Amino acid sequence: QVTLRESGPALVKPTQTLTLTCTFSGFSLSTSGMCVSWIRQPPGKALEWLALIDWDDDKYYSTSLKTRLTISKDTSKNQVVLTMTNMDPVDTATYYCARTTVVTAYFDYWGQGTLVTVSS
Amino acid sequence: EIVMTQSPATLSVSPGERATLSCRASQSVSSNLAWYQQKPGQAPRLLIYGASTRATGIPARFSGSGSGTEFTLTISSLQSEDFAVYYCQQYNNWPPRTFGQGTKVEIK
């Protein structure tokens, strides 16, 4: 059974750095082709893809946010970490992690999401 | 970057009726398109991939069609649990893996 769960602070201040952790089970990020992505959704708005890391430690980022994002993995802990620097109130959103692969490339399993509010 | 445009933004449908949702890509994505359903307070759920293949456990009343730049999600007979927001997503050319803006299916 595949599960993913996001964790991190519910509230961050403007200019701070956000660190989110995705802890997953039921698959391994050391399996060829396996990937984990981060996706966010501001309240009442659409989904926005942020970043992806694959089994080979290749990393891909949203063009508009790439200077602020870093994605990493700890295969032994079954975790993927996303950091986003210089947080702003417009970054207030629910942040999801989701499983995907380089072949299928759609998101077949999602975490429940974690709401991050940026406010002073 | 491929832009995905969904229409309409909101679709009002009576239970039991058919719903037809559209998704257009700014350039061809072949059949590399997925549809997701999202209910309030929940994560998106994969419905369709490969433009027309239902994901595991998805009822047969959901069907997808199209290729290239024009895609359709059809719900043949809306059930109460189908009222939700639906997103399309292309995965032909990435990064980024882009989503549409969503179509909200509401009760008429």
Side-chain angles (χ1 to χ4, degrees):
Chain A
Q1 180 188 4
V2 173
T3 65
L4 302 98
R5 185 182 75 251
E6 305 87 352
S7 58
L11 179 66
V12 298
K13 291 180 169 31
T15 75
Q16 286 187 336
T17 294
L18 171 69
T19 299
L20 295 173
T21 301
C22 175
T23 303
F24 57 87
S25 63
F27 68 98
S28 173
L29 249 185
S30 60
T31 299
S32 179
M34 200 61 68
C35 314
V36 170
S37 254
W38 284 94
I39 297 147
R40 72 177 179 179
Q41 185 174 40
K45 296 188 177 181
L47 300 163
E48 178 184 19
W49 178 82
L50 298 177
L52 178 148
I53 190 165
D54 71 16
W55 85 104
D56 205 26
D57 210 34
D58 292 320
K59 301 159 188 177
Y60 304 88
Y61 297 102
S62 160
T63 303
S64 60
L65 293 169
K66 65 188 305 181
T67 60
R68 299 173 53 205
L69 296 173
T70 303
I71 192 169
S72 62
K73 65 182 174 72
D74 186 331
T75 304
S76 65
K77 293 183 179 179
N78 281 349
Q79 290 182 333
V80 171
V81 174
L82 181 76
T83 63
M84 180 179 290
T85 61
N86 195 24
M87 293 292 285
D88 183 272
V90 300
D91 297 313
T92 294
T94 296
Y95 288 76
Y96 296 99
C97 60
R99 190 186 82 159
T100 181
T101 77
V102 293
V103 175
T104 54
Y106 45 82
F107 304 106
D108 55 358
Y109 291 93
W110 296 65
Q112 84 280 8
T114 186
L115 175 62
V116 178
T117 300
V118 184
S119 175
S120 55
Chain B
E1 172 177 327
I2 296 177
V3 177
M4 307 302 292
T5 303
Q6 292 186 241
S7 60
T10 304
L11 187 61
S12 298
V13 185
S14 299
E17 290 188 342
R18 175 187 295 258
T20 302
L21 290 67
S22 295
C23 175
R24 173 177 293 177
S26 60
Q27 64 188 77
S28 177
V29 298
S30 186
S31 294
N32 295 313
L33 184 108
W35 290 94
Y36 302 86
Q37 176 194 65
Q38 187 178 34
K39 297 180 182 179
Q42 296 184 16
R45 175 176 71 147
L46 177 67
L47 291 179
I48 300 282
Y49 61 90
S52 61
T53 303
R54 281 189 302 277
T56 303
I58 301 304
R61 64 181 181 272
F62 291 92
S63 64
S65 63
S67 66
T69 62
E70 301 283 344
F71 301 88
T72 300
L73 174 69
T74 301
I75 311 170
S76 60
S77 176
L78 270 160
Q79 307 297 302
S80 58
E81 62 266 30
D82 301 335
F83 292 96
V85 179
Y86 293 83
Y87 293 95
C88 61
Q89 177 240 329
Q90 71 83 20
Y91 50 92
N92 191 62
N93 290 347
W94 64 274
R97 296 189 185 180
T98 44
F99 292 89
Q101 293 302 107
T103 290
K104 180 180 181 181
V105 177
E106 64 176 22
I107 301 175
K108 186 174 182 180

